Amino acid sequence: MAIVLVLGSGGREHAIVHALSLCSSSGHGGSHVGDPGQDEDFSVEKIFVAPGNAGIQLEQNVECVSLDVKDHESVASFCRVRSVGLVVVGPEAPLAAGIADALTAAGILVFGPSKKAASLESDKSFAKDFMRRHEIPTAASASFSDSESAKAFIRRSDWGGWAVKAAGLAAGKGVVVAGSKDEACAAVEELQILHPMAATTLVVEERLHGTEVSALCLTDGRSIAMLPPSQDHKTRYSHNRGPNTGGMGAVCPYPLEDATAALCRDLLQATVDGMASDGTPFCGVLYAGLMLCEDGVYACALGRLSEAPPVVFPKGLFSCAVVVVTQDYPQAAQTGLPITGLNAAQENADTNTHVKVYHNSTKRSSDGGGGFVTAGGRVVTVVVTAPCASTARLDACRRAACIKFEGADWRDDIGQEAETEAQLGVLSPNQSVSGDKDVMASSLTYSASGVDVAAGDAFVKAIKESVAATQGPAVLGGLGDFGGFFDLSVKGMRNPVLVTGADGVGTKLMVANAVGKHNSVGQDLVAMCLNDIQCHGAVPLVFLDYLATGKLQPHVLQEVVQGIARSCQETGAALIGGETAEMPGMYQPGEYDVAGFAVGVVEKEDLLPKRLRMRPGDCVIGICSSGFHSNGFSLVRRVVDNLGLQYSDPCPFDPTRTLGDVLLTPTRLYSKVFAKIRGRILGAAHITGGGLVGNAARMLPPHLVAHLDVSKWSVPPEFVWIAGQGVAASEMARTFNLGLGLLLTVRQEMKEEVLQVLEADGAREVGRLVATKGTPNGGTRVILEGLEQHLQEAVSGLTKSPCIRGRVRTAIFISGRGSNMEAIVSACEAAGSPAEVCLVLSNRPGAPGLMWAQQRGVPTVVVDHKSYGSREDFETAAQEELERHGAELVCLAGFMRILTEGFVRQWRGRLINIHPSLLPAFKGKDAQKQALQAGVKISGCTVHYVEVRNSSLVVLSYWSVVGSGTSVDKRCR
């Protein structure tokens, strides 16, 4: 739990405080606040704001305090006394005065640049000189310390316009744009009168014509993380008329072409690099006002954090901010004017729209009524976020009109240009850019040859956001470059070794094509590559893909890339590029192929496997797979063909799903497993092509053999099904993972620690390393003990049904009321029933179900488990009762005791359980509650054989119900 101090009193600070308040333990989110070297998710316990304003005081867990921010020691003392862990500095003036330096020296974490770095904002003359030295494009300019020299320069210049700027801080009002020399000279005099301190140095700059865009990034002084581009509206009146202000509104995101966006990123990265090389790294939010001109992008100003839009914009939405000001702003500010309509401005937002009113300059009225009054020129900012640019813009203006005070005014054109650009930027792939239609139709073109360039461009545009979501500050450049870039220095490694890998998905793609489902292919591809390189201890860095097809189907490949991007996000790899090849004639219609390429990094001393350290007796730990993964599908498809099955048929070993859906279960990603055990293992093997036998051997030294005991895990039903079609055990072992997708070798003394860490990941001890007998490198390197017998028994259990003659005498085991006992008894009493209930057995005296059974005339017995010293003794007594009553079938109905392996084997094929969910979903206790909390619409119950291993699920029947909107608690009851 972190305590945060925010310095400032305007709308920007209100936005910061609001965001932090959502990170509180009782708020709606989480945030990484605290020691930047830690990975824990910190929440905000308390927010102090100095001095804050009346609107800020309304936020959750906020207290406004009075501090002299010019007295750095008093601020530091406050932080120590109140246990403040982070200080966020909003205004530029304290940063320019060095508050970040003072607090950092006192050991207090600060978000904001040092005094020297803040010169980018506090001294425009410094900024211009910096940009010229580091060859960052900027308008021609000159700096002057006296007005006469500035005016003389203006008169002899031949520019088409001038921008006259006070070099120091002027609250966003220190710039005058002039169209004539007389206006520019007048601006010199005006600035020195209105802002005498800020205008001790003047910057005279050539006026640039174009579109102004705001580019922001987060930076640690070395790397940058871009925020979406936005557009500020600086002039006082609509259509860019009137004097400059601190900002009349903003819209985000502003639509930019990919090349322009990349250039904006390059400009900001060059700024960060330049500051670092000058010995003054800039840490915090870097804000650049950029002018998009016909001949390039120019940095007009750097570091203007005060003018940044208050909202960090999420993808897929548009945000528009409209500032409500007093009548004479910016020349004057009427204070003490009563404000109404603040609540109305935030009411009646639909589910797709978010509305927030931020207070810029307000205070509580002194009449005791508790209302708000104006305290400055820019009073409040109305921010509307919506899926559509026009909706956000129009709704923001409508809500701004709800806010009333004498002379209240706002601009009604905020975001209009961005809305137009967004509409113009949406091009149909079928629209031609230029050219005569008849001439184009008769010409031999690339498109006529079968390559649709427009569809390819549309595909790249469609995947852009998914790709960008995987990229962090270490990724340089973007889509469209000839290569991808990753700044390895951010890892701070001593002896880094790059680990590379490449793989594909194989003929599993033929199943995906047949089913028409492609959203799991991306995870298969990423898992096949990243799981491999992580077996060598590597941390994933980047991933690239190759997609090949005869005819581009953008919607299909978009599903694939989105799956790749999701998996890259989960594993921490950056998707930095790829290739999409459309090759007519190379593939059959509808076919495609994919390949992946992964790069990771590991410290040289941490490379795996550590074969020289492996010894006889070392433990082999297995991590369960999610199914076939992406190997052996040529054999799987042959079995499907031989049986005459369709992929749309119910799955033979999971009737609740289609065969195609089960076969397309994505390959498991093991990144989280590797993250938990880094530095604790000697070797790892990803079980892919070659099966358990072929892959486990790859991590072993020549003098050791891995003995795997199949009784330590249960081979899942999909593999049992394949084996049941006549596939030999040896062939199964060298083709499939048999339920273990990853094997780990660990020292015997580390076994328990690793098993405990990986308990939730399906880890179990499955074998050991044994010294080879005979010549090293000869013979089998991996021995699977008991595989053939296990498969034979499992196949028998899969196909076996109870031998039933006449009515089957059924015993029901209960522990309470017997959740399904009443229904079973009633069904057995019905005419024509193939079963009869011969006994109800409970392990608990006084179980409510016993009385109900007795009232129905069903024999009952209590075998109290507390009266026996072991499970075996309890089960011996229960077995005697079953024999005494002639039971042929046992049904568990709410029986809350774990049965031993011996009992289950004795009753195998005659022991069934009723579970209140559609297995394999929602195992364990509270299955109904799990289903409701997961929001599923269909649930039910499963009748299945009880097997020694839970993973061997053989289902007899399912019964489903469709959910309603009833509450979780009520439905569980």
Side-chain angles (χ1 to χ4, degrees):
M1 300 289 284
I3 299 175
V4 181
L5 170 64
V6 177
L7 302 183
S9 62
R12 168 189 46 207
E13 289 74 42
H14 190 174
I16 293 170
V17 169
H18 177 67
L20 288 171
S21 71
L22 296 182
C23 299
S24 66
S25 58
S26 57
H28 309 287
S31 177
H32 293 285
V33 179
D35 185 348
Q38 298 295 319
D39 293 328
E40 292 93 344
D41 194 9
F42 284 85
S43 60
V44 177
E45 175 185 2
K46 178 79 174 182
I47 306 168
F48 293 105
V49 189
N53 63 39
I56 292 176
Q57 183 66 63
L58 299 176
E59 297 292 340
Q60 179 177 270
N61 297 327
V62 169
E63 179 182 345
C64 291
V65 296
S66 178
L67 282 176
D68 182 2
V69 296
K70 296 180 181 180
D71 185 348
H72 298 167
E73 177 51 40
S74 69
V75 176
S77 176
F78 176 88
C79 293
R80 285 190 289 265
V81 171
R82 301 298 184 100
S83 301
V84 171
L86 172 68
V87 178
V88 180
V89 186
E92 297 77 12
L95 293 170
I99 193 168
D101 307 68
L103 293 177
T104 300
I108 299 165
L109 188 64
V110 183
F111 185 79
S114 66
K115 179 177 181 178
K116 288 184 179 179
S119 297
L120 278 177
E121 162 61 19
S122 63
D123 188 347
K124 293 180 179 63
S125 178
F126 168 88
K128 296 295 289 189
D129 179 63
F130 169 85
M131 286 184 275
R132 279 191 292 268
R133 282 190 293 107
H134 291 281
E135 299 182 339
I136 297 171
T138 186
S141 67
S143 298
F144 305 94
S145 57
D146 67 280
S147 60
E148 292 305 317
S149 298
K151 288 186 285 186
F153 175 82
I154 292 169
R155 291 191 183 98
R156 65 174 180 268
S157 62
D158 57 357
W159 295 335
W162 295 261
V164 183
K165 303 180 178 182
L169 298 174
K173 305 168 192 176
V175 178
V176 177
V177 179
S180 69
K181 294 182 178 181
D182 289 341
E183 290 179 3
C185 289
V188 171
E189 301 290 347
E190 178 184 339
L191 288 175
Q192 289 199 320
I193 294 172
L194 296 177
H195 308 287
M197 296 299 294
T200 53
T201 298
L202 291 164
V203 176
V204 179
E205 188 177 81
E206 180 183 9
R207 180 182 181 180
L208 300 177
H209 297 274
T211 300
E212 188 171 359
V213 174
S214 303
L216 300 93
C217 72
L218 298 169
T219 177
D220 60 359
R222 180 173 57 187
S223 303
I224 67 172
M226 293 296 293
L227 299 178
S230 59
Q231 186 179 62
D232 295 342
H233 295 66
K234 303 297 295 180
T235 56
R236 171 63 175 82
Y237 302 108
S238 299
H239 310 298
N240 296 323
R241 297 178 297 108
N244 261 26
T245 69
M248 292 297 295
V251 64
C252 179
Y254 186 86
L256 294 178
E257 294 181 354
D258 291 346
T260 304
L263 190 54
C264 291
R265 178 190 176 93
D266 290 346
L267 286 170
L268 288 175
Q269 185 66 63
T271 302
V272 170
D273 293 344
M275 292 294 286
S277 67
D278 287 350
T280 55
F282 188 102
C283 300
V285 176
L286 183 61
Y287 176 83
L290 304 176
M291 187 67 76
L292 311 184
C293 306
E294 292 184 1
D295 58 344
V297 178
Y298 292 86
C300 303
L302 292 170
R304 297 185 310 185
L305 186 57
S306 63
E307 301 165 48
V311 177
V312 176
F313 199 82
K315 292 185 180 298
L317 297 173
F318 294 85
S319 185
C320 183
V322 176
V323 180
V324 183
V325 301
T326 57
Q327 188 171 18
D328 294 333
Y329 176 78
Q331 288 82 3
Q334 293 79 33
T335 61
L337 302 175
I339 306 169
T340 60
L342 291 171
N343 291 333
Q346 297 188 98
E347 292 175 349
N348 302 319
D350 60 39
T351 55
N352 295 320
T353 302
H354 179 267
V355 181
K356 177 67 178 177
V357 175
Y358 295 100
H359 289 234
N360 301 329
S361 300
T362 65
K363 62 181 180 180
R364 289 290 187 179
S365 63
S366 58
D367 60 8
F372 294 94
V373 297
T374 62
R378 292 201 300 171
V379 182
V380 295
T381 300
V382 180
V383 179
V384 174
T385 303
C388 172
S390 61
T391 299
R393 188 181 73 79
L394 295 174
D395 201 26
C397 291
R398 180 178 64 83
R399 293 177 182 279
C402 295
I403 297 174
K404 307 290 186 183
F405 54 84
E406 184 181 345
D409 196 13
W410 66 93
R411 279 182 58 166
D412 61 4
D413 66 336
I414 304 297
Q416 199 169 63
E417 180 182 340
E419 178 186 349
T420 302
E421 289 293 326
Q423 292 170 347
L424 292 175
V426 179
L427 297 177
S428 166
N430 298 319
Q431 285 182 277
S432 61
V433 177
S434 62
D436 181 84
K437 182 177 181 181
D438 294 333
V439 173
M440 296 294 287
S442 63
S443 300
L444 182 60
T445 65
Y446 207 21
S447 179
S449 302
V451 179
D452 193 337
V453 177
D457 292 342
F459 167 65
V460 172
K461 184 175 182 180
I463 65 174
K464 179 182 175 183
E465 285 194 2
S466 296
V467 173
T470 71
Q471 299 176 350
V475 176
L476 312 177
L479 288 181
D481 291 325
F482 291 103
F485 315 101
F486 190 94
D487 183 2
L488 194 58
S489 67
V490 303
K491 293 296 181 180
M493 304 182 79
R494 300 182 302 278
N495 299 299
V497 174
L498 293 180
V499 182
T500 62
D503 213 330
V505 179
T507 61
K508 188 175 184 178
L509 289 175
M510 298 178 72
V511 180
N513 261 330
V515 175
K517 178 183 177 183
H518 308 277
N519 57 6
S520 61
V521 171
Q523 179 169 330
D524 285 321
L525 185 63
V526 173
M528 293 300 289
C529 297
L530 292 189
N531 289 346
D532 277 359
I533 67 170
Q534 289 177 107
C535 286
H536 296 290
V539 175
L541 295 179
V542 300
F543 188 85
L544 298 98
D545 59 65
Y546 174 78
L547 312 177
T549 184
K551 180 65 176 177
L552 192 64
Q553 303 173 84
H555 67 284
V556 172
L557 296 189
Q558 188 175 340
E559 276 191 57
V560 175
V561 174
Q562 287 173 342
I564 292 173
R566 283 194 300 270
S567 301
C568 284
Q569 281 188 285
E570 182 175 338
T571 57
L575 179 55
I576 64 171
E579 166 71 5
T580 304
E582 187 175 21
M583 299 180 286
M586 183 69 75
Y587 296 90
Q588 294 297 318
E591 289 184 355
Y592 66 94
D593 197 7
V594 297
F597 310 89
V599 180
V601 66
V602 59
E603 289 282 7
K604 191 172 184 178
E605 58 267 32
D606 295 330
L607 266 172
L608 296 176
K610 297 186 179 299
R611 295 186 178 94
L612 296 179
R613 299 185 187 178
M614 293 183 185
R615 300 286 186 271
D618 285 344
C619 176
V620 180
I621 291 176
I623 312 296
C624 64
S625 67
S626 57
F628 291 111
H629 284 183
S630 298
N631 297 102
F633 271 84
S634 294
L635 177 54
V636 172
R637 290 186 302 104
R638 175 62 66 88
V639 168
V640 172
D641 289 342
N642 289 347
L643 294 175
L645 295 174
Q646 302 294 320
Y647 292 116
S648 56
D649 291 340
C651 178
F653 46 88
D654 186 357
T656 62
R657 303 165 66 193
T658 66
L659 176 59
D661 189 41
V662 171
L663 294 181
L664 289 176
T665 300
T667 306
R668 184 174 174 186
L669 296 162
Y670 289 110
S671 293
K672 293 180 180 178
V673 171
F674 282 109
K676 293 177 182 178
I677 56 167
R678 192 160 284 120
R680 300 178 179 179
I681 64 175
L682 299 173
H686 181 208
I687 311 304
T688 57
L692 272 175
V693 170
N695 288 282
R698 296 166 70 180
M699 67 174 170
L700 300 177
H703 62 284
L704 293 176
V705 171
H707 281 242
L708 306 182
D709 183 354
V710 181
S711 68
K712 298 290 187 180
W713 81 95
S714 186
V715 177
E718 54 264 47
F719 300 103
V720 175
W721 176 66
I722 293 291
Q725 311 312 313
V727 181
S730 59
E731 187 68 17
M732 296 292 296
R734 60 173 173 255
T735 305
F736 299 110
N737 64 62
L738 299 180
L740 300 178
L742 183 67
L743 293 180
L744 308 172
T745 302
V746 301
R747 285 283 175 81
Q748 188 66 31
E749 59 266 26
M750 290 291 294
K751 178 185 72 174
E752 294 302 327
E753 180 181 338
V754 172
L755 286 172
Q756 183 176 1
V757 168
L758 299 180
E759 182 179 5
D761 299 288
R764 64 193 70 191
E765 181 183 3
V766 297
R768 67 198 185 285
L769 300 189
V770 178
T772 58
K773 296 179 180 179
T775 305
N777 297 318
T780 303
R781 305 288 305 285
V782 179
I783 298 173
L784 274 73
E785 301 169 353
L787 176 62
E788 189 166 356
Q789 179 182 351
H790 181 94
L791 288 176
Q792 287 176 352
E793 292 180 357
V795 169
S796 174
L798 187 67
T799 58
K800 180 179 178 182
S801 59
C803 181
I804 299 174
R805 291 184 176 88
R807 300 184 74 190
V808 179
R809 293 181 62 78
T810 303
I812 303 175
F813 281 22
I814 67 173
S815 292
R817 64 181 180 85
S819 55
N820 294 288
M821 178 189 65
E822 297 178 19
I824 296 170
V825 172
S826 298
C828 289
E829 290 176 346
S833 171
E836 61 178 330
V837 178
C838 65
L839 175 67
V840 171
L841 182 150
S842 175
N843 65 310
R844 293 178 179 173
L850 292 172
M851 183 178 296
W852 184 91
Q854 292 164 2
Q855 291 173 351
R856 296 294 287 262
V858 178
T860 63
V861 66
V862 175
V863 181
D864 188 352
H865 65 275
K866 295 181 179 179
S867 301
Y868 300 90
S870 68
R871 293 183 185 276
E872 289 78 4
D873 292 342
F874 163 76
E875 290 171 355
T876 298
Q879 176 66 27
E880 292 174 356
E881 292 295 336
L882 293 173
E883 293 174 356
R884 188 165 67 86
H885 288 82
E888 299 171 297
L889 181 72
V890 175
C891 177
L892 308 180
F895 184 65
M896 305 305 291
R897 291 286 292 172
I898 296 175
L899 298 171
T900 66
E901 181 176 331
F903 186 90
V904 173
R905 288 190 184 279
Q906 182 178 359
W907 283 87
R908 191 174 190 193
R910 298 179 297 147
L911 178 63
I912 65 175
N913 180 52
I914 302 173
H915 184 79
S917 79
L918 297 177
L919 290 173
F922 312 117
K923 301 175 182 179
K925 295 182 179 180
D926 302 321
Q928 302 103 322
K929 192 168 186 178
Q930 292 181 53
L932 292 169
Q933 290 176 337
V936 297
K937 299 300 183 183
I938 299 177
S939 189
C941 67
T942 304
V943 182
H944 65 93
Y945 285 121
V946 177
E947 295 289 340
V948 174
R949 303 294 179 187
N950 290 333
S951 58
S952 298
L953 178 66
V954 181
V955 175
L956 291 170
S957 179
Y958 288 92
W959 188 266
S960 61
V961 294
V962 179
S964 66
T966 315
S967 70
V968 170
D969 288 341
K970 183 176 180 181
R971 290 171 66 184
C972 285
R973 288 197 294 269

